[in-house]
Amino acid sequence: MPYAVNLDGVTSMIGSRSEKLLKTLLSGWARDLEDYDGLRDDVGQGGADVTSAQTALRHMVMGEEYDDRVGFIYAYCLKIFLAARADTDFLSNNGWSGMRFGWFETVASELKAAGVDFDPLDLIFGGSPVRLPPTGGFPNIGHLGRAEMPAILAKFEGMDADMVTEYGALDAIRQIESWLRTCVNSNRDLICYYH
């Protein structure tokens, strides 16, 4: 799940201590927060003594201490901050949506054959752009900063597309390229989730 993000705008919200922002996020994304609590319960982290998604969101806005037991809840709450920004765009991911994890290795191999030195796993294993407790890989988050993307995008310019033979791989590669181009052209960062 790729997002073109104004990271400065997102980080200005985290730790802002704005009661107004907190109220807006809690009410506007109440359903999402309930879903995140459902995930917490599904993995055996439920119970009154474990931080709820609503509380995790409050921790993030108010700059309070995080609960390391539920790092994944904070990672999902970060998506609320992304969604709350008018300058965040969810980018088309049909070349990646619903694919098994092995698809990353397939696309990496096809990129290498085509002469592009880029591993798509960097999109999901680069880590969060903001401090979060460890997620244990659920979900994985990757971040490419706007300053580093022009050089990465340049690697795609010399690609020999005729060397990409795996069905669907060229579409997936072109999609990565479009994500990078969108971010470079709009001076935004790229944040990707895999879950």
Side-chain angles (χ1 to χ4, degrees), residues 25-101:
L25 297 180
L26 288 172
S27 63
W29 283 269
R31 171 90 176 158
D32 296 88
L33 293 164
E34 287 177 24
D35 290 345
Y36 302 159
D37 282 338
L39 289 172
R40 183 195 63 168
D41 297 341
D42 288 346
V43 297
Q45 292 291 340
D49 67 322
V50 179
T51 298
S52 69
Q54 293 85 355
T55 301
L57 188 67
R58 189 193 75 231
H59 291 166
M60 294 177 79
V61 172
M62 303 309 286
E64 298 171 354
E65 185 176 342
Y66 293 172
D67 182 348
D68 289 341
R69 297 174 295 173
V70 288
F72 65 95
I73 293 293
Y74 294 93
Y76 281 108
C77 284
L78 177 59
K79 291 175 90 172
I80 291 174
F81 289 92
L82 303 182
R85 300 275 319 170
D87 52 5
T88 294
D89 289 316
F90 177 72
L91 305 172
S92 176
N93 68 344
N94 59 342
W96 293 91
S97 180
M99 299 297 185
R100 295 194 183 278
F101 189 78

Side-chain angles (χ1 to χ4, degrees), residues 8-184:
D8 294 336
V10 171
T11 57
S12 72
M13 298 164 70
I14 298 172
S16 67
R17 301 185 188 278
S18 169
E19 291 285 352
K20 181 179 178 183
L21 172 63
L22 180 60
K23 184 177 179 182
T24 298
L25 297 180
L26 288 172
S27 63
W29 283 269
R31 171 90 176 158
D32 296 88
L33 293 164
E34 287 177 24
D35 290 345
Y36 302 159
D37 282 338
L39 289 172
R40 183 195 63 168
D41 297 341
D42 288 346
V43 297
Q45 292 291 340
D49 67 322
V50 179
T51 298
S52 69
Q54 293 85 355
T55 301
L57 188 67
R58 189 193 75 231
H59 291 166
M60 294 177 79
V61 172
M62 303 309 286
E64 298 171 354
E65 185 176 342
Y66 293 172
D67 182 348
D68 289 341
R69 297 174 295 173
V70 288
F72 65 95
I73 293 293
Y74 294 93
Y76 281 108
C77 284
L78 177 59
K79 291 175 90 172
I80 291 174
F81 289 92
L82 303 182
R85 300 275 319 170
D87 52 5
T88 294
D89 289 316
F90 177 72
L91 305 172
S92 176
N93 68 344
N94 59 342
W96 293 91
S97 180
M99 299 297 185
R100 295 194 183 278
F101 189 78
W103 186 237
F104 286 93
E105 294 173 0
T106 299
V107 173
S109 177
E110 294 293 309
L111 279 165
K112 185 175 182 180
V116 179
D117 180 24
F118 179 75
D119 187 346
L121 285 173
D122 291 345
L123 296 170
I124 61 165
F125 285 127
S128 171
V130 299
R131 185 186 69 80
L132 297 175
T135 66
F138 171 65
N140 287 314
I141 303 175
H143 166 246
L144 295 177
R146 57 184 162 227
E148 66 186 303
M149 280 189 280
I152 297 170
L153 184 59
K155 295 178 181 185
F156 286 76
E157 291 172 6
M159 181 176 72
D160 183 355
D162 292 336
M163 297 303 293
V164 179
T165 58
E166 182 70 33
Y167 178 78
L170 186 58
D171 288 340
I173 290 168
R174 292 293 189 209
Q175 202 152 55
I176 293 171
E177 189 177 11
S178 76
W179 301 340
L180 295 169
R181 192 170 313 286
T182 295
C183 289
V184 167

